[in-house]
Amino acid sequence: MTDSPVPDTTGRCGWCGTDPLYVAYHDQEWGVPERDPRALWEKLVLDGFQAGLSWITILKKREAFRAAFDDFDPEKVARYGEADRQRLLNDAGIVRSAAKIDATIFGARRWLELRDQGRDMSDWLWSFVDGQPLQGNRQTLADIPAQTPQSVAMAKALKAEGFKFCGPVIVYAFMQATGMVNDHVTTCPRHAPLSAGQG
């Protein structure tokens, strides 16, 4: 006999379910403002790998991704050659998509080029929300949009710079995850602290 599932009475955002890894991600990371350029690039890459997949699939592989891509150090990834590309294509721990792997290596090179041209990559990405988290004030999950004018603008700008796998829906997921928008539902225990800027 199996126990009946215990209903969630915390008010937590329902999308994370009860998987301990997903719950910890929701409680500790999702929606917390991230301004470190390396961490932002990592999240942008992982959201690109998510295209066509669920986030929990990527989350379960995140440590393998970090190991495979030198902890998402763009300086190292930008130097990857054909041997590294083949190594990644043979790595069962990650999503073995040639297009996404190629986009990541090219993206690292482009990220560094823009930085070396004097662009602060964190400030640039945060500029699409005027440097401060937008407060979603969503009552239910159904109120959360798949994309917004800000994500459309960011996606267009990223694509114009040569980045791939960064459409407006992927970019909105990136914005939510990195705290550029607080899309925790209002009943969620994480909503109020993030609204107050308390992380």
Side-chain angles (χ1 to χ4, degrees):
M1 178 177 172
T2 58
D3 293 331
S4 299
V6 178
D8 179 67
T9 57
T10 65
R12 181 187 279 120
C13 300
W15 55 259
C16 65
T18 57
D19 184 303
L21 183 66
Y22 221 2
V23 170
Y25 172 74
H26 167 276
D27 290 357
Q28 298 165 25
E29 293 184 57
W30 195 75
V32 176
E34 179 59 74
R35 295 182 187 269
D36 175 69
R38 189 218 58 80
L40 286 169
W41 185 66
E42 172 182 334
K43 191 64 178 62
L44 192 61
V45 170
L46 289 176
D47 274 320
F49 269 98
Q50 182 195 347
L53 304 168
S54 66
W55 176 244
I56 189 62
T57 298
I58 301 301
L59 194 60
K60 287 178 176 178
K61 293 175 176 286
R62 183 164 63 168
E63 292 309 316
F65 269 107
R66 286 173 170 167
F69 284 96
D70 286 295
D71 203 28
F72 290 99
D73 180 342
E75 299 273 2
K76 293 179 179 177
V77 177
R79 293 195 295 268
Y80 283 3
E82 185 57 31
D84 291 293
R85 184 175 180 275
Q86 289 302 318
R87 170 180 61 79
L88 293 165
L89 286 169
N90 292 327
D91 189 336
I94 66 170
V95 175
R96 292 180 287 181
S97 161
K100 292 175 181 179
I101 289 168
D102 290 344
T104 301
I105 296 169
F106 175 83
R109 294 168 184 163
R110 192 73 189 109
W111 184 272
L112 295 178
E113 286 171 2
L114 292 170
R115 183 202 66 187
D116 292 346
Q117 290 167 11
R119 184 175 298 179
D120 183 305
M121 297 303 289
S122 177
D123 285 352
W124 180 56
L125 292 169
W126 274 88
S127 73
F128 293 92
V129 293
D130 295 326
Q132 294 298 322
L134 302 176
Q135 299 303 322
N137 293 313
R138 319 294 186 190
Q139 303 298 309
T140 69
L141 292 180
D143 296 329
I144 301 175
Q147 60 185 46
T148 62
Q150 292 88 354
S151 77
V152 170
M154 186 188 290
K156 184 178 179 181
L158 284 165
K159 287 181 177 181
E161 295 294 358
F163 294 97
K164 295 181 173 62
F165 295 99
C166 55
V169 174
I170 289 173
V171 165
Y172 193 59
F174 165 76
M175 295 173 78
Q176 292 171 309
T178 58
M180 294 179 189
V181 59
N182 175 11
D183 264 353
H184 285 279
V185 293
T186 53
T187 59
C188 181
R190 295 293 290 139
H191 176 80
L194 289 168
S195 295
Q198 297 171 354

